[in-house]
Each structure stands twice: as structure tokens, then as C-alpha cells.
């Protein structure tokens, strides 16, 4: 679908939630990978503006050079995506603003979409490394802590100062805001990115989760987003 057509027919709406995957390098020449939800606040036929509100250290502070950026969003269960270029990056206190080129065309793919929410209050979790690549071990107690950044029935992302690797297997324990029940779930690390100066953003995919628990989390996310 052509970008101008997407604007004209309402496939691209403003404001709207979108996701960016940013890949580049730091001043030290190290790889930099970051993914997050942004707000599409402006768009025309040539460029668009996306913003990210942060409560802590600016997550792109170590980004020195950009290799590529993928822009994507869901509309009626269809994933639309394209590569775009960075024109300008501006940070003011807790707000990060990126000006991007618009793509000539949007590619699309149908995917199962889970409702994803960002907890409105501080939501800690306790993690334990229990294996790697599907192999579980009972040796040791590699515990660490983190803070949930977003959650869906498919997985969770969190901030931690502990460096992890894919495909480590984790046991996660946390209590969702407004509830008393503690959830203990197993998950696989699928993505790690720098988050500020001394932390990492870790994305994990839940595995071996009972269908009833997945439905319960999906209903919780839908109600919280409502």
C-alpha cells in the first residue's frame, strides 16, 4: 500500500500508537538495538513525527549512528511495516521526539495481535534463570529483579541491570496492579537492548502457559486499556 493512499483512506491515523525498531551503534562502536512503542503525532506525504515519553534516563542517549529504523503499527489485526530514515532527534526532559522520512510503501502481514499495556504504576518482578534453549536445570538460584515496562498475553518486557542473553529460560514472578494474585510464569528471552546507562530492556515470550492464564491476562490487558 502506498503511503499517501494509507493516509487518504485512514489506514494511517493521527494520533496513533506505533512501534520502532532502531538499530545502530554507540560512540564506542558497539551495537545498539532498541524497540519501543511510540506515538505518531504528525504525518504528511514526506515526513512524520513520533514521540516517546520516558520516566527515567533517555533510552537513546547512547545512540551515535543509525543503521536502520523499522516503523510498524497494527490496524484491524494486520501488521503494517516499512523501513524509514531518521531526519532529526530531539530530547526535552522526559520527551523524546523523532522526525522520520515516510516510506514510499507499507508492507503488511497478518499476525495474531495481543493487547499490550504499559502499567501505570511501578510493577516489579522477580526473575530466576532456570535453563537455556528449552533445557531446564535445577542447579543454583540465579535470581535478579526488574521493572515491567509492558505486558501482553504473549510476553512481557522489563528493565533490569542484569545482562541476559537469548535464548535463556526464565521463571518470572509478579503481581499486576490492582490485583492480589501473584503470577509465576516461564518465558524465553527473545530480545535484549540497552536501556539507559547501566540497564537493559529485555523482551521475553511466555511458554508452556496454560490457555486459561493466557485468556486471563488478555482480559486484564483489554480491561486496563479500556
Amino acid at each position: 500500500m502506498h503511503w499517501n493512499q494509507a493516509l487518504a483512506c485512514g489506514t494511517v491515523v493521527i494520533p496513533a500508537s506505533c512501534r520502532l525498531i532502531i538499530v545502530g551503534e554507540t560512540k564506542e562502536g558497539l551495537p545498539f538495538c532498541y524497540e519501543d512503542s511510540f506515538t505518531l503525532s504528525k504525518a504528511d506525504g514526506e515526513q512524520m513525527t513520533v514521540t516517546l515519553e520516558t520516566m527515567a534516563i533517555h533510552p537513546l542517549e547512547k545512540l551515535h549512528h543509525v543503521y536502520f529504523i523499522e516503523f510498524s503499527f497494527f490496524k484491524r489485526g494486520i501488521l503494517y511495516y516499512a523501513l524509514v530514515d531518521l531526519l532529526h532527534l530531539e530530547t526535552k526532559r522526559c520527551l523524546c521526539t523523532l522526525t522520520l522520512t515516510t516510506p514510499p510503501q507499507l508492507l503488511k502481514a497478518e499476525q495474531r495481535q495481543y493487547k499490550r499495556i504499559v502499567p501505570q504504576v511501578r510493577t516489579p518482578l522477580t526473575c530466576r534463570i532456570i535453563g537455556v534453549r528449552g533445557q531446564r536445570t535445577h542447579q543454583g538460584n540465579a535470581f535478579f529483579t526488574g521493572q515491567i515496562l509492558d505486558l501482553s498475553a504473549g510476553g512481557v518486557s522489563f528493565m533490569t541491570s542484569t545482562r541476559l542473553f537469548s535464548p535463556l529460560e526464565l521463571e518470572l514472578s509478579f503481581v499486576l496492579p490492582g490485583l492480589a494474585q501473584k503470577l509465576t510464569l516461564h518465558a524465553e528471552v527473545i530480545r535484549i537492548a540497552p536501556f539507559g546507562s547501566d540497564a537493559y530492556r529485555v523482551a521475553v515470550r511466555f511458554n508452556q502457559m496454560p490457555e486459561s492464564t493466557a485468556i486471563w491476562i488478555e482480559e486484564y490487558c483489554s480491561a486496563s486499556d479500556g
Side-chain angles (χ1 to χ4, degrees):
M1 176 182 288
H2 290 284
W3 175 261
N4 287 337
Q5 179 186 357
L7 281 174
C9 70
T11 299
V12 175
V13 296
I14 301 169
S17 176
C18 64
R19 293 193 75 82
L20 295 185
I21 295 176
I22 303 172
V23 177
E25 67 177 25
T26 66
K27 290 182 179 180
E28 295 75 25
L30 299 175
F32 181 96
C33 301
Y34 184 76
E35 179 184 18
D36 210 338
S37 294
F38 289 71
T39 298
L40 176 62
S41 56
K42 296 180 182 179
D44 56 28
E46 297 182 356
Q47 65 185 40
M48 57 182 162
T49 302
V50 299
T51 58
L52 172 69
E53 293 187 15
T54 62
M55 295 183 293
I57 299 173
H58 170 38
L60 301 181
E61 66 170 355
K62 288 192 173 183
L63 177 63
H64 177 65
H65 177 73
V66 175
Y67 292 147
F68 65 85
I69 299 176
E70 186 202 59
F71 163 82
S72 66
F73 63 93
F74 273 101
K75 185 78 171 187
R76 300 187 183 93
I78 298 177
L79 173 68
Y80 293 88
Y81 61 98
L83 293 178
V84 296
D85 294 324
L86 176 66
L87 297 175
H88 183 66
L89 170 62
E90 181 180 3
T91 58
K92 290 183 178 179
R93 294 185 179 180
C94 298
L95 184 67
C96 174
T97 303
L98 286 76
T99 304
L100 308 169
T101 61
T102 56
Q105 288 190 327
L106 287 169
L107 303 175
K108 63 180 182 178
E110 293 190 19
Q111 293 186 357
R112 182 175 181 183
Q113 180 186 14
Y114 291 109
K115 178 72 69 175
R116 183 174 295 274
I117 62 166
V118 176
Q120 297 303 303
V121 299
R122 185 179 177 90
T123 308
L125 79 167
T126 300
C127 309
R128 183 167 67 95
I129 301 174
I130 59 174
V132 61
R133 214 178 298 277
Q135 303 172 94
R136 302 288 173 81
T137 176
H138 299 287
Q139 299 180 12
N141 289 303
F143 284 98
F144 61 95
T145 60
Q147 294 290 329
I148 291 179
L149 298 173
D150 60 52
L151 168 78
S152 76
V156 65
S157 69
F158 58 91
M159 177 184 67
T160 181
S161 59
T162 300
R163 187 180 182 187
L164 299 171
F165 302 91
S166 174
L168 289 175
E169 299 275 339
L170 306 179
E171 180 184 82
L172 311 176
S173 297
F174 55 91
V175 177
L176 293 174
L179 302 177
Q181 177 185 355
K182 176 184 286 188
L183 290 174
T184 299
L185 304 171
H186 290 171
E188 177 186 351
V189 176
I190 58 173
R191 201 164 46 249
I192 307 100
F195 193 88
S197 299
D198 301 301
Y200 303 93
R201 183 190 184 101
V202 181
V204 303
R205 178 174 54 233
F206 295 137
N207 54 30
Q208 298 183 359
M209 178 193 290
E211 183 66 19
S212 59
T213 303
I215 293 173
W216 186 86
I217 294 177
E218 179 72 4
E219 290 176 347
Y220 175 86
C221 292
S222 296
S224 299
D225 194 52

